[in-house]
């Protein structure tokens, strides 16, 4: 079936280091969304990418959507302890509006 | 998000019991979803509903049923709970698959 793979599963960094999580789909995506879940919390929407090659920035976070619309990445520059949590990508695979398919997430820990 | 509420927040039950998890929203969204989260497995879709008369199976619907009693209410039932249904359950709402989903605070279910 349709899958969205996300790597790495876990990442530990020192505060101030950069962090990147990657998302790959077995099929072309109509769009991709990113969510953040803080420890003990619920997923919260960060951003949606729709266009091939799209790049969006939110302060220290940079989101990219691949040219083939099959992969995406989230890069955090100079991590802070507030960045701790699990980051999920979620893809929509066709215009008919099937439900989001979530990756398994990357859990980020940051030590100061 | 306080606009999406889930009850109960925690529940411990025994194998074979019937249990219902409830979700209510005041966002006026037409689409509602039930997800299950297990460590290392991310979020998996159980059922989703595009409106009151629409129910769709997700990736892991076996052992679960749902009821969309009104636009604002979407309930998930476990007819005969089993231990491997122990998980964190999230309800989410949305206006359309191309827009963000808003998650409730989650229900932690333990089946003994």
């Amino acid at each position: 079936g349709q899958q969205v793979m996300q790597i790495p599963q876990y990442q530990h960094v020192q505060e101030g280091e950069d962090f990147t999580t990657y998302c790959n789909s077995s099929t072309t995506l109509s769009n991709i969304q990113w969510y953040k879940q803080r420890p003990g919390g619920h997923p919260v929407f960060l951003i949606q990418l729709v266009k091939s090659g799209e790049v969006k920035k939110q302060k220290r976070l940079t989101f990219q959507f691949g040219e083939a619309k099959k992969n995406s990445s989230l890069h955090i520059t100079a991590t802070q302890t507030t960045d701790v949590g699990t980051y999920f990508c979620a893809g929509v695979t066709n215009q008919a509006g099937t439900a989001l398919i979530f990756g398994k997430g990357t859990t980020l820990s940051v030590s100061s | 998000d306080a606009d999406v509420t889930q009850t109960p927040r925690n529940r411990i039950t025994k194998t074979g019991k019937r249990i219902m998890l409830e979700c209510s929203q005041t966002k006026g969204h037409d689409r509602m979803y039930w997800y299950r989260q297990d460590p290392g497995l991310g979020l998996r879709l159980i059922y989703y509903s595009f409106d009151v008369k629409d129910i769709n199976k997700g990736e892991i619907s076996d052992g679960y049923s749902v009821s969309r009693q009104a636009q604002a209410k979407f309930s998930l039932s476990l007819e005969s709970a089993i231990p491997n249904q122990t998980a964190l359950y999230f309800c989410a709402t949305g206006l359309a698959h191309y827009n963000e989903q808003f998650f409730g605070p989650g229900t932690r279910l333990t089946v003994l």
Side-chain angles (χ1 to χ4, degrees):
Chain A
Q2 298 162 343
Q3 287 190 326
V4 173
M5 308 300 292
Q6 194 172 351
I7 57 170
Q9 186 175 2
Y10 300 99
Q11 182 78 58
H12 177 78
V13 299
Q14 295 289 322
E15 190 172 23
E17 293 180 337
D18 292 355
F19 160 77
T20 305
T21 174
Y22 301 91
C23 190
N24 289 282
S25 171
S26 56
T27 58
T28 301
L29 300 171
S30 295
N31 65 71
I32 194 160
Q33 300 178 9
W34 286 90
Y35 291 77
K36 177 183 178 180
Q37 183 178 19
R38 295 182 184 275
H42 58 275
V44 175
F45 175 84
L46 294 177
I47 207 162
Q48 176 174 272
L49 304 171
V50 179
K51 299 177 182 177
S52 171
E54 189 170 14
V55 178
K56 288 188 176 180
K57 293 188 176 183
Q58 290 180 349
K59 297 183 180 179
R60 294 178 294 103
L61 278 60
T62 302
F63 303 85
Q64 294 187 344
F65 200 11
E67 294 290 341
K69 301 184 74 173
K70 286 187 172 183
N71 59 79
S72 182
S73 65
L74 158 59
H75 180 82
I76 302 178
T77 302
T79 55
Q80 301 175 358
T81 54
T82 54
D83 295 324
V84 164
T86 301
Y87 294 85
F88 294 98
C89 62
V92 177
T93 55
N94 63 59
Q95 296 290 335
T98 54
L100 290 175
I101 301 173
F102 279 82
K104 294 183 179 180
T106 296
T107 298
L108 173 66
S109 59
V110 180
S111 55
S112 57
Chain B
D1 193 312
D3 298 325
V4 183
T5 57
Q6 293 183 234
T7 56
R9 294 294 311 278
N10 289 282
R11 180 72 182 267
I12 300 174
T13 191
K14 294 182 179 180
T15 298
K17 294 291 186 180
R18 183 179 189 276
I19 185 167
M20 178 181 289
L21 309 183
E22 300 189 357
C23 177
S24 295
Q25 53 117 344
T26 58
K27 289 189 159 300
H29 290 171
D30 50 1
R31 301 186 178 198
M32 298 186 74
Y33 310 83
W34 275 105
Y35 291 93
R36 165 179 176 158
Q37 185 173 36
D38 299 275
L41 296 180
L43 291 156
R44 294 183 292 169
L45 183 65
I46 307 172
Y47 272 96
Y48 61 103
S49 169
F50 287 1
D51 63 41
V52 175
K53 297 181 180 180
D54 177 75
I55 299 291
N56 303 281
K57 291 183 177 181
E59 178 187 356
I60 54 165
S61 59
D62 287 349
Y64 301 94
S65 62
V66 291
S67 174
R68 186 81 184 267
Q69 304 95 319
Q71 186 197 37
K73 296 184 182 297
F74 193 35
S75 300
L76 175 71
S77 293
L78 287 67
E79 297 301 325
S80 179
I82 56 177
N84 74 2
Q85 291 178 312
T86 292
L88 183 57
Y89 290 85
F90 286 106
C91 172
T93 72
L95 283 171
H97 284 296
Y98 301 104
N99 296 325
E100 63 188 282
Q101 291 189 12
F102 296 83
F103 284 78
T107 294
R108 187 166 296 280
L109 176 66
T110 302
V111 183
L112 300 176

